[in-house]
Amino acid sequence: MNSIEQALTEALAIGRQYVDQGECASYIPELSRADKHALGVCVMTASTDRYAAGDTKTRFSIQSISKVITLAVALQHCGFEKVFEKMNMEPSGDPFNSLVKLDLTDDKPFNPMINAGAITTAGYLEPDVSFEDLLAYSRRVCLDEGIEIDERVYESEKNHCARNRAIAYLLQSKGILTGDVEKSLDLYIRMCSLGVTAESLAGLGLVLANGGLHPQTGNRLMDADVVRVVKTIMLTCGMYDESGEFAVRVGVPSKSGVGGGILSVVEKRMGIGIYGPALDKKGNSIGGRHMLEYLSQALGLHMFGTGEA
Ligand code: GLN
């Protein structure tokens, strides 16, 4: 066993100790059907070697991790100035589906990694970029041609999206969403319903770690400046209101979703994908978070080093 394989095996054993303390998301009813004990981690290195432990081939919905893809496409399509004209780039410190600050503190969404921000991003794209375009692009950047929309999750969320609908109409009332509110919301929900695996997330992580280049062909999938913005926002805002502590403990730009996924990017070295649908109170995979903390130490992944002199 090499050191990565061994570290993944150990990480899995550590992560499994925590899953009983978490719960699957249930506010989207279909998500509550997941096996709360499922757990897996996949690493794809810059030399495109793949390492996996646990449930890395199970499909689950990407949920908030799609915010990374939608942001990248919006930056490519509209440019930095336009994207951040109506949206900030600050951590909100509030739950991902909160609308409190949007109404009381600032008229702009705090960042593109929370629901208000991602619905705004979907609104930028909605008239010009179709869901089919986004699906095709998601397959390319995740190195996974098998990605499809999970229709059951889509229907389930569509029928239980009162809060996101409230956010969308609040955005409209503030002049942030200027197009068709229902179509923008629908695009957001479709993107959240993409079925991925821990392997697909490791693939996306590797593309981001590689500055936007396909790791095998060298083809450019995302502009380098777009990748830089996306990774920075993942570091500061990607783990919701747990982003600060996560950055200290793990030190790797990451994005989680309530389907149980975590996408992590280790600059120039590897992409990491995680599946573990038991979530902590903030909505992050509880086993996944502990696996990443272990891997960060075992493999020296923290972006600011080991902390030793
Ligand atoms: N689709 C989910 C929602 O809008 C995504 C949230 C998440 O993964 N944190 O609530």
Side-chain angles (χ1 to χ4, degrees), residues 27-28 63-64 67 96 115 157 164 188 192 240 257-258:
Y27 74 100
I28 299 170
Q63 296 300 334
S64 269
K67 293 173 166 102
F96 60 84
N115 293 9
E157 178 158 357
N164 283 336
Y188 167 79
C192 288
Y240 319 125
V258 289

Side-chain angles (χ1 to χ4, degrees), residues 74-100:
L75 287 165
Q76 298 277 158
H77 184 72
C78 315
F80 180 87
E81 297 302 332
K82 168 92 192 333
V83 168
F84 291 105
E85 194 181 293
K86 293 182 177 176
M87 180 155 54
N88 296 320
M89 37 187 127
E90 295 301 335
S92 70
D94 286 335
F96 60 84
N97 59 2
S98 173
L99 32 72
V100 173

Side-chain angles (χ1 to χ4, degrees), residues 62 86 88 94 111-112 123-124 135 149 217 220 226 240 247 252:
I62 189 168
K86 293 182 177 176
N88 296 320
D94 286 335
N111 68 70
Y124 288 146
L135 172 61
I149 187 166
T217 63
R220 182 156 290 289
V226 165
Y240 319 125
V252 173

